[in-house]
Amino acid sequence: MSESRVAFFDGRLMPLKDANVNIATHAFNYGTGVFEGLRAYWNQDQEELYIVQAHPHFARLLRSARVLHIEVPYTVEELVSHTVDMLRANEFRQDVYIRPLAYKAEAAIKVGLSGLKDAFSMFAVPMGDYVPTKGIRVAVSSWRRIADNMIPSRAKVTGAYINAALSSDQARADGYDEAIMLGEDGHVSEASSANLFMVRGGVLVTPPVTADILEGVTRQVVFDLASELNVPVEVRAIDRTELYSAEELFLCGTGVQLAGVVSVDRRAVGDGQPGPITTAIQKKYYDICHGVSDTGRRYVTPVYHP
């Protein structure tokens, strides 16, 4: 990471290289933190950096923090403002990924959540695509998705992402781009760290929030875009074998963005290319991210020319 990069730490902007925590920090030892992942996209023609869905992301961060008894001393509006200040201080002129963290900051050996000091920090790094968006190959993982009554699956808990790491690492070692995870009941939940949509009979189908999924911010945008395109949407349980007969399949999330799936367990999805519904939604989504959609301005926060 660049030596000149700036982070938000201990309530102020400071050099990222100096924004460090003690190895005895509770969150480092026990995974007692929550986080978000936001993207900001650079539009060269407009000379503007757009943060996508800043308010919904920070609202979810506060909900996640509540689950772990973490007090965040900022409102959603204040968190968005601090993000804008940090991005301006870094003078980013490229696509970036933003990582806010709220965590148990006590230097303590104690299994628990109450009576421990809390902290909030944030940094950003340049980031492009980290999985292909034009056609990815996935496999159904032998690792099951964590159940909400074990570790809250609808909260972005730092320690819980070992579940995603194990499944995605297995998939890549076996020659795939990503993993699809089943819940304990055997139904499709989501990808290792992205929500899943499939098309069957011209209907866009996705698992319900009770399928141990993360309640994705991008997932909600997909609902909106499907409505604009007059594509019917159904929220219901999905069987594993439905993935093999799907006409289209795609993943969505801040990190993965919107990526068409072309094969599942070495079975082609449709004709082996991202389908028309996937392509149409993907185009609308990227237009929003880059600030070229007038109707999509409600989803983005400009950094340099508010």
Side-chain angles (χ1 to χ4, degrees):
M1 293 188 183
S2 172
E3 288 291 309
S4 62
R5 200 153 292 151
V6 174
F8 184 84
F9 189 76
D10 280 345
R12 62 188 179 91
L13 295 176
M14 63 184 299
L16 176 59
K17 61 183 178 63
D18 297 330
N20 301 313
V21 297
N22 191 301
I23 62 170
T25 299
H26 197 271
F28 180 70
N29 285 267
Y30 298 106
T32 49
V34 297
F35 70 98
E36 275 298 321
L38 299 84
R39 277 189 186 260
Y41 292 82
W42 176 245
N43 183 315
Q44 181 62 51
D45 293 338
Q46 299 177 15
E47 294 191 350
E48 183 58 276
L49 187 65
Y50 290 102
I51 310 171
V52 180
Q53 289 286 76
H55 291 78
H57 275 291
F58 283 118
R60 187 173 64 184
L61 177 76
L62 296 184
R63 292 195 299 272
S64 295
R66 192 178 306 124
V67 173
L68 263 61
H69 294 291
I70 297 172
E71 293 293 328
V72 179
Y74 307 110
T75 65
V76 168
E77 288 292 344
E78 289 169 337
L79 289 166
V80 174
S81 178
H82 288 313
T83 305
V84 169
D85 290 344
M86 182 186 68
L87 294 177
R88 286 178 179 172
N90 282 284
E91 299 181 348
F92 284 120
R93 296 293 192 276
Q94 62 200 118
D95 295 350
V96 298
Y97 184 86
I98 304 153
R99 171 51 54 83
L101 296 136
Y103 53 96
K104 293 296 178 183
E106 194 87 18
I109 302 299
K110 173 188 177 183
V111 178
L113 296 168
S114 302
L116 297 168
K117 181 176 70 174
D118 301 319
F120 173 83
S121 302
M122 180 167 51
F123 65 94
V125 295
M127 180 178 287
D129 298 340
Y130 75 72
V131 298
T133 59
K134 296 298 184 183
I136 62 176
R137 296 166 301 120
V138 305
V140 176
S141 180
S142 63
W143 294 96
R144 293 296 178 99
R145 170 71 172 156
I146 53 171
D148 191 61
N149 220 27
M150 297 177 182
I151 298 174
S153 51
R154 62 174 33 85
K156 287 181 73 72
V157 179
T158 56
Y161 272 70
I162 191 65
N163 184 233
L166 287 166
S167 61
S168 63
D169 191 66
Q170 178 191 51
R172 291 182 182 117
D174 291 340
Y176 299 95
D177 299 304
E178 180 56 285
I180 302 298
M181 305 188 75
L182 307 180
E184 284 301 310
D185 64 357
H187 287 109
V188 173
S189 179
E190 61 180 16
S192 67
S193 52
N195 293 133
L196 175 146
F197 284 83
M198 75 172 181
V199 177
R200 292 201 69 191
V203 177
L204 194 59
V205 185
T206 195
V209 296
T210 51
D212 295 323
I213 69 169
L214 178 70
E215 296 177 346
V217 171
T218 308
R219 177 177 180 267
Q220 186 57 55
V221 177
V222 170
F223 287 148
D224 296 345
L225 298 181
S227 178
E228 290 180 18
L229 292 165
N230 296 314
V231 176
V233 177
E234 186 176 354
V235 178
R236 63 165 175 82
I238 296 176
D239 289 326
R240 173 179 180 166
T241 54
E242 286 191 90
L243 302 177
Y244 302 153
S245 56
E247 297 151 20
E248 300 182 42
L249 196 66
F250 66 85
L251 307 181
C252 71
T254 299
V256 74
Q257 302 172 101
L258 204 149
V261 175
V262 297
S263 74
V264 182
D265 290 342
R266 295 192 166 89
R267 295 166 174 86
V269 176
D271 64 1
Q273 298 292 327
I277 292 176
T278 299
T279 303
I281 293 175
Q282 187 182 55
K283 182 182 185 308
K284 276 185 167 286
Y285 179 70
Y286 285 121
D287 284 349
I288 286 171
C289 292
H290 291 92
V292 298
S293 168
D294 290 337
T295 59
R297 290 302 173 98
R298 69 184 186 276
Y299 297 105
V300 296
T301 302
V303 171
Y304 296 117
H305 306 98

